[in-house]
Amino acid sequence: WKACVGESLPGVESPPLRIIYYVYILKSLKDRDYYIDQTSNLSKRLIEHNQEKTKSIKHRLPFELYHYE
């Protein structure tokens, strides 16, 4: 385990780094269909989707978050 300053504590092993991923479902307000994906930064990804940064679905904008876990 690393202390805040990045130094190891004697006799304590470092835990594995965990990155949390979300599976999410978006609902298109244009065609009422769904889009499913995953991300480690849900709020950033939703903004990117609605700013036309996902080429495969930008023709279906706008989207709302339907579900995530």
Side-chain angles (χ1 to χ4, degrees):
W1 158 270
K2 300 280 184 184
C4 292
V5 293
E7 296 180 22
S8 295
L9 297 173
V12 179
E13 291 186 29
S14 297
L17 179 64
R18 286 195 202 175
I19 299 174
I20 298 173
Y21 279 86
Y22 298 93
V23 173
Y24 63 95
I25 302 172
L26 300 179
K27 185 174 184 177
S28 169
L29 299 179
K30 182 176 182 180
D31 65 13
R32 311 303 285 173
D33 207 358
Y34 298 93
Y35 174 78
I36 302 171
D37 204 357
Q38 65 180 2
T39 186
S40 61
N41 188 333
L42 186 57
S43 57
K44 178 183 174 187
R45 194 68 180 126
L46 292 174
I47 291 168
E48 291 173 349
H49 281 308
N50 281 314
Q51 288 180 343
E52 299 183 11
K53 294 187 177 185
T54 307
K55 291 180 184 181
S56 63
I57 62 169
K58 69 180 184 178
H59 64 281
R60 298 172 56 199
L61 294 175
F63 282 95
E64 67 180 4
L65 182 61
Y66 182 76
H67 179 77
Y68 71 95
E69 53 183 67

